Amino acid sequence: METTVINTHKVEDFGKWKVGFEAGKSMRDQAGIKIKGVYQSIDDENTVTVISEFPNPAIAKSFIESMATSESFAKSGVISKPEIKILSQTF
């Protein structure tokens, strides 16, 4: 069952964050993670929301746990604790 993850966080600079995010593409591809969209808040371009699809809940939870301690996450300029929602589609 595919699992949707909605991740919102504040970054110091969107351009810097985007470079780091794009650098993680091969890792996401290997894990079967599909990015459905990347959004910026209309009120603050440095508040970013990423909507992604994971192959299953276990992979989503594992990825999120590793992301929280990831050096690359901090290097990309994330400056707030992410607000993360893990969802499964009911219909």
Side-chain angles (χ1 to χ4, degrees), residues 32-57:
I33 301 166
K34 300 174 192 161
I35 301 302
K36 296 298 186 176
V38 176
Y39 305 87
Q40 291 174 281
S41 167
I42 59 170
D43 296 322
D44 178 3
E45 67 181 24
N46 290 319
T47 297
V48 180
T49 297
V50 179
I51 300 175
S52 50
E53 295 289 334
F54 287 74
N56 61 57

Side-chain angles (χ1 to χ4, degrees), residues 7-71:
N7 175 1
T8 300
H9 50 272
K10 184 141 174 96
V11 299
E12 127 189 301
D13 175 81
F14 180 79
K16 176 182 174 183
W17 174 84
K18 185 175 183 267
V19 169
F21 180 78
E22 289 174 344
K25 183 180 181 332
S26 64
M27 178 189 61
R28 291 189 301 273
D29 288 347
Q30 286 180 329
I33 301 166
K34 300 174 192 161
I35 301 302
K36 296 298 186 176
V38 176
Y39 305 87
Q40 291 174 281
S41 167
I42 59 170
D43 296 322
D44 178 3
E45 67 181 24
N46 290 319
T47 297
V48 180
T49 297
V50 179
I51 300 175
S52 50
E53 295 289 334
F54 287 74
N56 61 57
I59 292 173
K61 288 179 181 180
S62 175
F63 184 83
I64 289 164
E65 287 173 11
S66 69
M67 182 179 65
T69 59
S70 168
E71 187 177 313

